[in-house]
Amino acid sequence: MGWRGILGFEYGIVLAPLGPDISGPELVAAVANAGGLGILRAPDWEAPDYLRELIRKTRTLTDKPFGVGVVLAFPHEENVKAILNEKVAVLQVYWGECSKQLVQESHCAGVKVVPQVGSLEETRKALEAGVDAIIVQGREAGGHVIGQEGLISLLPRVVDLIGDRDIPVIAAGGIVDARGYVAALALGAQGVCLGTRFVATLESCAHPTYKRKLVELDKTEYTNIFGRARWPNAPQRALRTPFFNDWKDFPAHENELNQPVIGRSTVHGIEKEIRRLSGAVPNVTATGDIESMAMYAGEGVGVIDEILPAGEVVKRLVDGAQLLIQTQFSGL
């Protein structure tokens, strides 16, 4: 069963690499210490020295293995070199080609490669590249969503395509509790990848207002109003905050570049202006009009009713999944 572990980790629970720096060393270490796979988020620009420091800081907080996520749509070659030199357990990649060369170089460094996919075609390419596991993202997921299919229809097809290959499938998209975990297992996954649930944790680097909104609000929307200039053709799922409801019909020919600055933030050590509709989610350093910033969330957000320690999230997922299977399904 998935809770017995994937890729050498104790449990089949993965912390998504939450951008831009929400899944920092404290959150990653907390998930790792609880038996899951924590994944740092690399900067969306070349910053190998900074990334190396981030990895080493995480190692001061946990002696367990962890990973680093890289968005291939942005400059990343030097960052990947730093990741491989540091020999982290997992390189997680997204939104770009996971090439055979990248996989070979990673394997030579002893690093496993896990791409996130949103379609069968992406899955085929990942299999050809020789990856170690695959995260299947459904359209229910929060943040940037690469595919168009719901998890319940896409996941079984990916599982069937992989067949008897020894490549674990990890489900992502709208999963926040043990019920979602067991449902993913029933569809053939060996683990689950959670983003929104881990944003709403004590160790998350999200701004307190962002965390509070994840508890207060229960509706999301698939949209493309955020970050059109910085990351074109990258739709996202966001909370339906009052700000979002006012701006959801933002004209398609416009973008954030002609919008006013509404705040500032330090992202991966760099001071940045935040323009309205830029897509920058508020981290703990953000100042300004926080409630007018992007707040990404998956469709499962309505099940989140409290901010928890990350280790407690992992424990509830594991204990809850075991109990559900033993009490609800063992006699079937």
Side-chain angles (χ1 to χ4, degrees), residues 28 60 145-146 164 175 192 233:
V28 170
T60 68
V145 182
I146 200 168
D164 59 2
I175 300 169
V192 289
N233 302 313

Coordinates of all heavy atoms in Angstrom, one line a residue, residues 28 60 145-146 164 175 192 233:
V28 N 10.2 21.5 4.5 CA 10.7 20.3 3.9 C 11.2 19.4 4.9 O 11.0 18.2 4.9 CB 11.8 20.7 2.8 CG1 12.6 19.4 2.4 CG2 11.2 21.4 1.6
T60 N 20.7 20.7 7.9 CA 20.9 21.0 9.4 C 19.6 20.7 10.2 O 19.7 20.6 11.4 CB 21.3 22.4 9.6 OG1 20.3 23.3 9.3 CG2 22.6 22.8 8.8
V145 N -1.3 24.7 -13.6 CA -1.8 23.4 -14.0 C -1.5 23.2 -15.4 O -2.0 23.9 -16.3 CB -3.3 23.3 -13.7 CG1 -3.8 22.0 -14.1 CG2 -3.6 23.7 -12.2
I146 N -0.8 22.1 -15.7 CA -0.3 21.9 -17.1 C -1.3 21.1 -17.9 O -1.3 21.2 -19.2 CB 1.1 21.2 -17.1 CG1 1.8 21.4 -18.4 CG2 1.0 19.7 -16.7 CD1 3.3 21.0 -18.4
D164 N 3.5 -3.0 -15.8 CA 4.3 -3.7 -14.8 C 5.7 -3.1 -14.6 O 6.5 -3.7 -13.9 CB 4.4 -5.2 -15.1 CG 5.0 -5.5 -16.4 OD1 5.4 -4.5 -17.1 OD2 5.1 -6.6 -16.8
I175 N -6.0 16.7 -3.4 CA -6.0 15.7 -2.3 C -5.5 16.4 -1.0 O -4.4 17.1 -1.0 CB -5.0 14.6 -2.6 CG1 -5.5 13.8 -3.8 CG2 -4.9 13.6 -1.4 CD1 -4.4 12.9 -4.4
V192 N 0.8 10.0 -2.9 CA 0.1 11.2 -3.2 C 1.0 12.4 -3.0 O 1.9 12.4 -2.1 CB -1.2 11.4 -2.3 CG1 -2.2 10.4 -2.7 CG2 -0.8 11.3 -0.8
N233 N 0.9 31.4 -21.1 CA 0.3 30.1 -21.4 C 0.5 29.1 -20.2 O 0.7 28.0 -20.5 CB 0.8 29.6 -22.7 CG 0.6 30.5 -23.9 OD1 -0.5 31.0 -24.0 ND2 1.6 30.7 -24.6

